[in-house]
Amino acid sequence: MQSGNGICTDYGLLFVNEDIPFSEEYDGQVFPPYLYDADVLFIARVEYRGRTEYLYMPCENEAITKAFGRLGSENPDDVKIIIEDFNVDNHVWFERLCELAEKESIYDVNTLAGAVSNADMDLGKLARAAEYAGVEDAVSLASIAENLSLFTVIKGVEDYYGIGRYFVNNSSGYSVPPVLENFIDYGNLGRHIAEEYNGKFVDGDFVCMKEGHSLDEIISEENQKHMNQQADENEDQDECFGMQMM
C-alpha cells in the first residue's frame, strides 16, 4: 500500500500484480465459460475451424442450433464438442457424458442433461437401472431417468433368499405374522418375485420394475418421442442454416 500504485475504485484500492502477465480472455464475441447457475449440469465447449462457443446444458435446442450457426457450421457432425465443468461430483457420469458427446448427437446429450439435472436425481440408482435395462445411448438413458421412480433397487441383495427376506420385511403384500417367518422358504419366494417383476442382479444389488410397468413400455414411448423431436430439430436446423446462406 505504501508503493502509491493503488487505483481508487468504488470498492476500495485496486493493486495490479505486475508479476502475473495480463491476458485478455474476452475476444469480443464469446464470453469465457463461467458456471454461475446451479441448474446447469455441465458446460460444453463447441469448436469449429478455430472458433469456439460455449453451451450451458441443459438448454433449449434452439440455443445449440444458433451456436452452430454462429460458428459457421452447416453440419453439426463437423463440430468438436468437449464436456467441461461438470456440476456434480460423480466421475463415472462425467466420463459417460464425455463419451456420449463424442459419438452421439449433442441434441440427444442435451435431452439426457435435462432429464438428470434435478436435485432429486440419484445417479447411482440411474446407473443400476440403465444396466438392468441394457441401454447406453443418451435417449434411452434420458427415458430411464425420467421414469426412475418406476424402478426398485434393493442394495446389497445378491441372491433369491435376500429378495424373499426383503419383500417379507418391507412389502405389505408379502408380510406374514412373525410366528410364521421361520417356516417360509425365502429362496423360492425370492425366485418367484424375481420372475414376477422381471428382476435382475446388478453389481451386488437387485433391480426390478414396479408392478404394472414394463421396460418395453418406457423405451418404446421414448423412441417415438425421439423420432418426433428429431424431425422438429432437422426442420429448425434447415431454417437456421438457410437464413445464414441468404
Side-chain angles (χ1 to χ4, degrees):
M1 294 181 66
Q2 296 177 351
S3 66
N5 294 327
I7 302 172
C8 291
T9 72
D10 293 339
Y11 304 98
L13 283 176
L14 172 66
F15 290 88
V16 178
N17 188 344
E18 297 179 353
D19 295 330
I20 300 176
F22 177 79
S23 62
E24 187 171 329
E25 297 293 334
Y26 179 51
D27 61 4
Q29 293 182 328
V30 181
F31 285 105
Y34 177 62
L35 195 57
Y36 60 89
D37 189 343
D39 293 332
V40 174
L41 184 63
F42 59 82
I43 297 175
R45 187 169 83 243
V46 186
E47 298 178 346
Y48 179 72
R49 293 185 177 179
R51 302 180 65 186
T52 302
E53 286 276 342
Y54 294 97
L55 295 170
Y56 296 81
M57 309 186 84
C59 61
E60 296 293 333
N61 282 336
E62 185 179 358
I64 302 175
T65 302
K66 287 183 176 180
F68 291 162
R70 288 192 296 270
L71 290 173
S73 170
E74 297 183 16
N75 185 354
D77 294 333
D78 292 338
V79 302
K80 182 178 182 180
I81 298 174
I82 303 168
I83 302 298
E84 299 181 341
D85 294 321
F86 191 43
N87 204 17
V88 178
D89 186 17
N90 191 307
H91 184 67
V92 173
W93 274 100
F94 174 69
E95 289 187 344
R96 183 170 236 172
L97 285 167
C98 289
E99 292 174 0
L100 289 171
E102 289 181 1
K103 62 184 182 181
E104 294 195 27
S105 163
I106 190 61
Y107 294 96
D108 292 347
V109 176
N110 186 45
T111 298
L112 175 58
V116 303
S117 61
N118 66 74
D120 297 327
M121 179 55 58
D122 184 341
L123 291 177
K125 182 178 180 181
L126 177 58
R128 294 289 189 272
E131 187 168 346
Y132 164 85
V135 299
E136 296 181 349
D137 63 285
V139 173
S140 296
L141 288 171
S143 178
I144 297 295
E146 291 170 351
N147 294 278
L148 197 58
S149 62
L150 302 182
F151 292 84
T152 296
V153 177
I154 307 175
K155 295 183 178 181
V157 172
E158 302 180 86
D159 54 31
Y160 294 120
Y161 178 89
I163 297 172
R165 255 305 192 194
Y166 178 88
F167 273 78
V168 167
N169 293 336
N170 297 278
S171 176
S172 59
Y174 292 91
S175 62
V176 297
V179 69
L180 298 178
E181 288 184 357
N182 292 333
F183 298 96
I184 296 175
D185 186 340
Y186 290 102
N188 278 332
L189 176 60
R191 188 184 300 275
H192 167 76
I193 293 172
E195 293 174 354
E196 186 74 16
Y197 292 90
N198 295 316
K200 296 179 183 178
F201 295 106
V202 178
D203 290 338
D205 299 333
F206 177 74
V207 184
C208 65
M209 298 288 297
K210 290 189 175 180
E211 187 175 4
H213 299 279
S214 70
L215 191 60
D216 292 339
E217 167 193 339
I218 295 173
I219 300 300
S220 62
E221 286 182 358
E222 184 61 30
N223 286 342
Q224 183 60 50
K225 187 196 305 181
H226 177 58
M227 286 189 290
N228 295 337
Q229 182 179 345
Q230 276 191 319
D232 293 339
E233 289 169 2
N234 292 336
E235 184 177 341
D236 291 342
Q237 290 173 27
D238 291 340
E239 291 179 358
C240 180
F241 295 137
M243 286 189 290
Q244 291 176 5
M245 297 291 291
M246 295 176 64

